[in-house]
Amino acid sequence: MSIACCIPVVECVYCLACVRWAWRRCIYTAGYESENWGLATSEEFDPVPRLCRIILANYEDDLHNPIWEPPGGYGLDPDWMMVKKNHEHTGGRSSPYLIYIDHKNADVVLAIRGLNLAIESDYAVLLDNKLGQTKFCGGYVHNGLLKAAQWVFDTECGVLRELIEKNPNYRLTFAGHSLGAGIVALMTIYALQNRGRLGNIERKRIRCFAVAPPRCMSLNLAVRYADVINSVVLQDDFLPRTTMALEDVFKSLIW
């Protein structure tokens, strides 16, 4: 009788413990990990607005007759657009992307747009992951984003190499937003591991700007490539502040 009376108490304690754990996971943000980081210099931030406009150009079907251009336009010369691919071209393997040669800023830019809420394949790329599933370059990475990064690089490395060899003083910049940011972050590491396919370009000429990226690599990789990969997060933006544990919760709810 006394044991039976204790069972509801144990159940209540267990339920309260689970609720407490879930609540702490939901209110925890990755921003706690960077709250003591230093501020970027004006020189470091200077390319960001220009690259954001290039990323946004992915949303246009015809850059000669833009429909969605931001105030002041995209600041692009449509004749300098080397490659532009949409979901039909990628077959769902990646978000749409473009390759633009910016002669004004001596820059070869590969830019990938963010998640399209109406395209199921974008969700498939983002949710194709399990914690600890994919090991890469001595760390752990997001499985779906890595596959997308490798596919885009393998598809376009010939074009990138040709542009770099024709313009030996230009930098190679990978830029992306949201889903595209995670792809270019991992693509940058993949490119650094395969610089021979890019004509042995120097490491210092490769850089990445990931705007609002999802969690896509373990901390040791983020530290190792911090000199090349720049993450841009606007205040409390939801996606980049979300931990991998919460991503798994959202995947269970959405999928």
Side-chain angles (χ1 to χ4, degrees):
M1 181 69 177
S2 58
I3 296 177
C5 291
C6 291
I7 291 177
V9 176
V10 173
E11 289 179 344
C12 290
V13 172
Y14 179 76
C15 290
L16 287 172
C18 291
V19 170
R20 180 178 181 273
W21 175 86
W23 174 251
R24 288 175 64 86
R25 297 307 304 173
C26 288
I27 65 173
Y28 179 85
T29 69
Y32 295 145
E33 300 170 6
S34 60
E35 60 185 353
N36 295 319
W37 290 11
L39 297 175
T41 65
S42 58
E43 290 78 11
E44 291 173 328
F45 188 78
D46 182 66
V48 173
R50 172 175 59 87
L51 293 172
C52 285
R53 291 175 183 270
I54 296 177
I55 295 170
L56 288 174
N58 276 295
Y59 292 81
E60 297 287 355
D61 292 326
D62 182 5
L63 282 170
H64 287 93
N65 300 287
I67 300 175
W68 313 108
E69 62 180 342
Y74 293 107
L76 306 180
D77 185 335
D79 295 331
W80 295 350
M81 190 70 63
M82 300 293 105
V83 172
K84 193 172 187 300
K85 294 189 176 180
N86 56 30
H87 280 103
E88 292 183 2
H89 298 128
T90 65
R93 300 180 185 89
S94 167
S95 293
Y97 64 87
L98 59 82
I99 297 177
Y100 179 74
I101 182 163
D102 188 345
H103 292 294
K104 291 182 179 179
N105 294 282
D107 208 358
V108 175
V109 182
L110 190 156
I112 305 182
R113 61 159 283 175
L115 177 77
N116 187 327
L117 297 176
I119 301 296
E120 184 176 331
S121 60
D122 280 5
Y123 289 101
V125 171
L126 183 62
L127 301 177
D128 178 15
N129 188 58
K130 293 180 180 179
L131 198 62
Q133 176 182 358
T134 306
K135 203 166 185 178
F136 181 64
C137 291
Y140 290 94
V141 299
H142 188 289
N143 184 63
L145 296 177
L146 177 63
K147 290 194 295 187
Q150 291 173 327
W151 182 83
V152 175
F153 181 84
D154 292 342
T155 302
E156 305 298 347
C157 66
V159 176
L160 295 175
R161 176 170 182 160
E162 181 180 353
L163 293 174
I164 292 167
E165 289 178 343
K166 288 182 178 179
N167 303 277
N169 297 320
Y170 285 24
R171 302 189 70 159
L172 173 60
T173 300
F174 298 102
H177 168 247
S178 185
L179 178 66
I183 295 174
V184 295
L186 295 180
M187 191 190 309
T188 301
I189 299 177
Y190 188 59
L192 289 169
Q193 299 300 316
N194 293 273
R195 289 189 295 117
R197 297 172 65 183
L198 296 172
N200 291 313
I201 183 175
E202 302 94 328
R203 179 188 174 104
K204 64 182 180 181
R205 289 175 57 200
I206 298 177
R207 62 181 179 175
C208 170
F209 287 88
V211 183
R215 286 291 186 103
C216 60
M217 67 182 72
S218 54
L219 183 59
N220 64 322
L221 290 178
V223 172
R224 190 189 312 167
Y225 293 96
D227 62 316
V228 181
I229 301 173
N230 303 276
S231 295
V232 183
V233 180
L234 178 62
Q235 297 178 345
D236 294 324
D237 192 0
F238 173 77
L239 182 61
R241 300 296 192 186
T242 303
T243 62
M244 288 300 297
L246 277 179
E247 285 185 14
D248 286 339
V249 173
F250 297 141
K251 178 171 69 174
S252 299
L253 293 174
I254 294 173
W255 207 238

